[in-house]
Amino acid sequence: MAHDSTFAAGRPAWLGRLGQVRNVVRQEMISRQLDRHLTPHPARILDVGAGQGTQSLRLARAGHQVLAVEPDPGMRSACCAALAAEPAAVRDRVTVRAGSIGQLAAVTDDQRYDAVLLLGVLMYLPASEPVIAELAGQVAPGGLLAVALRSTTSALWRPAARPGWAGALAAFEEHDQARAQRRDMRYVNEIGTPARADDLAAVAATAASYGLQLEHWYGVRIAVDPEELDPPPPADPDQLAALLAVEDRLGSTDPYRQLGQLAHLILRQTT
């Protein structure tokens, strides 16, 4: 079923790393990339699998109205705690609800949104096609669907870049078996959670069949990821700004964006 997720076991490790450099870079790049495609006027946004609420809160601070939908009680608690620390004007722009892929109509009342977000969620779900189909129905005409996914390229590149030669060979073997068996590539991620990699072109083709055209895509986390360690971000603001500027350029430019640990797709509803 589309709403079955493997993420829950990795939640403690995920929450424990929020302040480290990988998550800081990830969230900032996603934010910048979304800003390039969102309408300038306040938008109605559906954040599916909102997690700890980083993107929901940022968008609310910018004046957008956000419905944050999250199935995991622990992640919802983290989101609500972060929301409680915000000014009243921001709190009033965010609604947090329990809900999941496969059951979105129950929490959205079948409304459509200017932007629907699925950021770092698809790899924990068993298949992409039913997810894209459901989310396409939530996007208003002219609106966008933003999906951050794990690509097969990144699932192969990371163990080779570390380097981890045995792991890299195992990843290639799994990739070849997945192709032979006409299934998605599987792997275990760094928080110890079983996950799934997507072929970027296949996801774009699926989205197009539901009226969502690929407007642009970005790589996320390129320069910071080859090392196994996940340190805190640079304490020097100038160094952090330089790191983010480099990641921004790499993630927007071929061939470097193809090595991102996430591919961030912006899909525009044309029907």
Side-chain angles (χ1 to χ4, degrees), residues 28-97:
E28 178 63 21
M29 292 303 104
I30 292 287
S31 296
R32 293 185 187 191
Q33 292 156 6
L34 279 174
D35 283 345
R36 293 169 189 153
H37 299 271
L38 285 171
T39 56
H41 61 78
R44 296 178 65 249
I45 295 175
L46 172 63
D47 189 0
V48 181
Q52 72 279 355
T54 301
Q55 294 301 323
S56 290
L57 298 187
R58 185 197 70 84
L59 291 162
R61 293 184 200 115
H64 302 295
Q65 292 287 332
V66 183
L67 172 57
V69 177
E70 171 56 46
D72 184 87
M75 296 300 284
R76 279 200 312 277
S77 294
C79 182
C80 290
L83 181 59
E86 294 288 326
V90 175
R91 295 198 304 271
D92 289 345
R93 296 188 194 108
V94 180
T95 301
V96 181
R97 291 180 182 167

Side-chain angles (χ1 to χ4, degrees), residues 240-260:
L240 178 58
L243 165 60
L244 294 172
V246 168
E247 284 283 349
D248 201 356
R249 291 292 298 273
L250 291 173
S252 303
T253 308
D254 276 329
Y256 317 108
R257 65 175 179 169
Q258 298 180 44
L259 300 180

Side-chain angles (χ1 to χ4, degrees), residues 126-166:
S128 295
E129 194 278 337
V131 177
I132 299 299
E134 182 178 16
L135 295 179
Q138 300 287 334
V139 182
L144 66 84
L145 170 63
V147 180
L149 56 83
R150 178 78 67 198
S151 71
T152 53
T153 301
S154 68
L156 290 169
W157 169 245
R158 175 185 269 173
R162 288 302 164 84
W165 308 127

